[in-house]
């Protein structure tokens, strides 16, 4: 007698799935995804980042692994590891392009098919958190991502804004998207919230302040915190220095640790 058991899903070993969203480009979703992954790793968690920004994949560059190739195994694609401990694993279309400057000139159906493949065919193994870095907007890719992940019950979404009103307005639309698609909003992060001087450590509010907190209050969702601009962190990324090692020295580190802790506290409450 042959028993046909259902195939084990590649996401079966992933405990929590987080989406990083914003209605606006240039607010630092990939930066927040990267720094959040590092903060969670700092708390002893195993983390994966799925980069579904198909036209502007920046996660490989953030971790200085843009020259790595993706390999196949029996259960699908093997993600690229960002560190020797294999505590951060990554998947991005950036690893699949022949040349780094190749543009992805695709219509919706082809993009949607790749997103579904990313969700089904990456062999993540056991992870505490999978962070999904999304493109700007509320269009095709977002609907495909949410629908493909729905069977795996994502924990929810973190919305990223910068302080000024034009950004906050676009993120308000993202809140509506989450409501319509039934995606829980874990909270709002205000990124680029002030510039920390590398010499005197004084924080200057270049883009005004408090828009994210105001929006969270207005929408009745948690405000997770403000993350300052840190030129030293940006420089370490630009110069290809060891971003993973330098991250704890950054002025953004306490803010990100606080955000990560709130997410960890939330997951503990959920599982108790």
């Amino acid at each position: 007698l042959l028993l046909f058991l259902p195939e084990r899903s590649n996401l079966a070993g992933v405990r929590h799935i987080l989406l990083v969203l914003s209605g606006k480009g240039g607010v630092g979703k990939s930066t927040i995804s990267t720094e959040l992954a590092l903060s969670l790793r700092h708390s002893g968690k195993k983390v994966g980042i799925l980069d579904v920004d198909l036209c502007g994949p920046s996660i490989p560059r953030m971790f200085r692994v843009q020259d790595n190739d993706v390999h196949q195994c029996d259960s699908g694609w093997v993600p690229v590891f960002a560190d020797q401990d294999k505590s951060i694993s990554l998947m991005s279309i950036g690893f699949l392009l022949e040349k780094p400057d190749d543009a992805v000139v695709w219509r919706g159906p082809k993009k949607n098919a790749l997103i579904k493949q990313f969700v089904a065919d990456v062999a993540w193994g056991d992870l505490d958190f999978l962070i999904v870095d999304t493109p700007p907007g509320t269009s095709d890719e977002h609907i495909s991502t949410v629908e493909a992940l729905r069977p795996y019950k994502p924990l929810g979404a973190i919305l990223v804004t910068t302080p000024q009103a034009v950004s906050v307005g676009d993120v308000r639309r993202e809140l509506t998207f989450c409501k319509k698609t039934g995606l829980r909003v874990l909270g709002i992060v205000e990124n680029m919230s002030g510039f920390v001087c590398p010499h005197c450590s004084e924080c200057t509010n270049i883009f005004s302040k408090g828009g994210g907190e105001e929006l969270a209050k207005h929408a009745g969702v948690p405000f997770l915190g403000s993350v300052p601009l840190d030129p030293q962190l940006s420089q370490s990324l630009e110069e290809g220095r060891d971003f993973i090692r330098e991250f704890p020295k950054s002025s953004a580190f306490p803010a990100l640790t606080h955000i990560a802790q709130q997410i960890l506290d939330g997951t503990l409450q959920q599982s108790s």
Side-chain angles (χ1 to χ4, degrees), residues 61-125:
R61 171 79 197 265
M62 294 260 175
F63 286 97
R64 289 196 304 153
V65 288
Q66 64 267 41
D67 298 327
N68 289 41
D69 294 321
V70 168
H71 301 287
Q72 293 274 349
C73 68
D74 290 346
S75 49
W77 285 330
V78 181
V80 169
F81 295 103
D83 58 346
Q84 285 180 324
D85 303 336
K86 297 190 174 181
S87 57
I88 297 181
S89 44
L90 317 168
M91 179 51 72
S92 169
I93 195 174
F95 299 128
L96 307 175
L97 300 174
E98 280 185 33
K99 299 191 200 87
D101 295 337
D102 281 355
V104 177
V105 188
W106 291 357
R107 290 189 186 276
K110 199 171 177 185
K111 286 181 182 177
N112 298 344
L114 182 65
I115 287 168
K116 283 175 189 160
Q117 202 176 349
F118 271 166
V119 169
D121 292 350
V122 180
W124 293 107

